[in-house]
Amino acid sequence: MKKVLSEKETHSLMKTLTEEQRHFISNYIVQCKKLKWLDVLSRSKTDFTYKNANTPTVNIETNEWTLKTIIDGGYRKRPFKCDCGASLRHQYIVYNNKEEKEYKFGSTCFEEHTNLDAQIVKDIKRGFYLIDIELDEILIKYKKRELFNVSSFLHLKDDPVAADLIKQAKLNIPLSTKQIDELRKAEFHYKHNKNKQEAYKGLNELQITLIEKLPLKEQVELVKDLIRKEFHYEDLPDTVDSAEIQLFVKLGLPLLNRHRIRFNTIEFFSQTEQVTSEAATENKQLSFKEANEITYDVFMKRHLHILKKVRENQDRISSDNEKIWLNIQNNIKEFRDGKEFNHSAFKGDINHILKHLDLGLENMYG
Ligand SMILES: [Zn+2]
């Protein structure tokens, strides 16, 4: 990623902002850099802890260096000094917690004056660079008047991150792509929490604990099903060997996609296998008309081996494609129960899954 604007261009665009806007955005950039600093240092601390996992007495230097702030002397000015004597435009004020002493460094030489690891310094500099690019993006959008409409996000004002973004938009400062993503993420969490409040009414502690332990994606899925009262028990076979599925049923919780994908196929294919072998002997001679108005049995006779192949590999199906596979199975089941079946949709979907699984069978339905 290359820096879009030169220092001069950034400076002249900054000059077009009002005092209030400039102050807000400069403050945002400094906050981002402080967070980045903290983030990189705490991550490196984790690595350090891990490496020394066998030495229980190891004393970890928790955040020895804290970035207090960064001050900007202004374009083409170098009013500040680094501790080594160099003149600076940007001065990093860093506090050493161990020595209880404040240091003032330049961005290019804080590496030499601190005991920070070279990789950490590299990560920090990289992070700061990306934040500078984000500022450029905001400034370019400002020039083009590309403002982001936050009117549908105003209910998020209790979320501290969203509140700052709303404030920024209200000051007529555009939002960066990263900020828009953050706002959408805040909206997603808001909705999920609201759904949870509704869904958890009447649930006991055990049920809630189990739900809260699920990964977010499955939590969202389950909470939605709880509200819609869709438990998916109708698909349950007589015997289930998965302890987790048994627990979900026992607790009266909706089954997850990954549960249904299991028993749906296993039970379903073992049932139809008998039917199709019977059908195979009966339907040896098919007239042209019959072949066009294909019956469920004939369909299964033709496609069972492919469906079984997919079933054998279904653990590899990505979460994006899980729905398609589930949908295929549901449609086939409905076909068995006498409902209409869309063959071309089936071909498209199964081809997609085969390609995705790379089973070398995709030409089957080409
Ligand atoms: Zn220096």
Side-chain angles (χ1 to χ4, degrees), residues 121-163:
V121 174
K122 209 177 140 194
D123 288 350
I124 289 175
K125 284 186 177 172
R126 167 93 190 143
F128 284 6
Y129 176 72
L130 293 176
I131 294 165
D132 287 336
I133 286 179
E134 191 188 348
L135 172 65
D136 285 355
E137 185 198 341
I138 294 171
L139 290 173
I140 290 166
K141 281 181 170 171
Y142 183 81
K143 193 180 167 190
K144 294 187 195 159
R145 295 269 149 222
E146 276 178 36
L147 294 172
F148 184 79
N149 187 349
V150 287
S151 57
S152 57
F153 294 95
L154 299 179
H155 57 281
L156 299 173
K157 57 184 182 305
D158 290 334
D159 176 317
V161 173

Side-chain angles (χ1 to χ4, degrees), residues 81-86 88 104-106 108-110 112-113:
K81 288 257 185 279
C82 177
D83 279 357
C84 68
L88 308 168
K104 291 166 177 171
F105 301 133
T108 48
C109 57
F110 70 76
E112 291 148 36
H113 308 307

Side-chain angles (χ1 to χ4, degrees), residues 333-351:
K333 227 161 70 174
E334 287 184 358
F335 187 25
R336 182 187 61 187
D337 297 341
K339 284 201 183 150
E340 223 171 285
F341 186 74
N342 185 338
H343 280 90
S344 57
F346 165 76
K347 281 181 187 175
D349 286 348
I350 196 79
N351 250 339

Side-chain angles (χ1 to χ4, degrees), residues 127-227:
F128 284 6
Y129 176 72
L130 293 176
I131 294 165
D132 287 336
I133 286 179
E134 191 188 348
L135 172 65
D136 285 355
E137 185 198 341
I138 294 171
L139 290 173
I140 290 166
K141 281 181 170 171
Y142 183 81
K143 193 180 167 190
K144 294 187 195 159
R145 295 269 149 222
E146 276 178 36
L147 294 172
F148 184 79
N149 187 349
V150 287
S151 57
S152 57
F153 294 95
L154 299 179
H155 57 281
L156 299 173
K157 57 184 182 305
D158 290 334
D159 176 317
V161 173
D164 278 346
L165 297 171
I166 291 167
K167 196 175 166 200
Q168 179 174 333
K170 283 190 168 171
L171 281 170
N172 288 322
I173 306 171
L175 301 187
S176 68
T177 316
K178 188 186 128 205
Q179 290 179 315
I180 295 169
D181 281 349
E182 279 168 2
L183 203 55
R184 297 212 164 110
K185 220 187 273 169
E187 169 71 6
F188 172 83
H189 284 281
Y190 173 84
K191 271 197 185 141
H192 177 53
N193 284 331
K194 230 177 125 188
N195 283 343
K196 273 209 296 203
Q197 272 181 19
E198 194 191 328
Y200 285 3
K201 273 183 216 156
L203 291 194
N204 62 38
E205 212 177 305
L206 190 61
Q207 290 168 316
I208 293 172
T209 311
L210 196 140
I211 299 172
E212 290 290 322
K213 274 187 185 161
L214 293 172
L216 184 64
K217 187 186 150 247
E218 293 186 344
Q219 224 183 76
V220 170
E221 177 197 330
L222 189 137
V223 163
K224 278 183 186 163
D225 276 352
L226 263 176
I227 292 171

Side-chain angles (χ1 to χ4, degrees), residues 1 16 19 23 64 67 85 101 110 118 122 134 139 153 195 203 210 246 254 261 307 309 320 330 338:
M1 219 178 301
T16 63
E19 185 66 43
H23 184 260
E64 184 183 343
L67 175 62
K101 198 178 156 196
F110 70 76
K122 209 177 140 194
E134 191 188 348
L139 290 173
F153 294 95
N195 283 343
L203 291 194
L210 196 140
Q246 286 169 359
I261 209 170
L307 294 167
K309 206 83 212 157
D320 294 347
N330 280 336

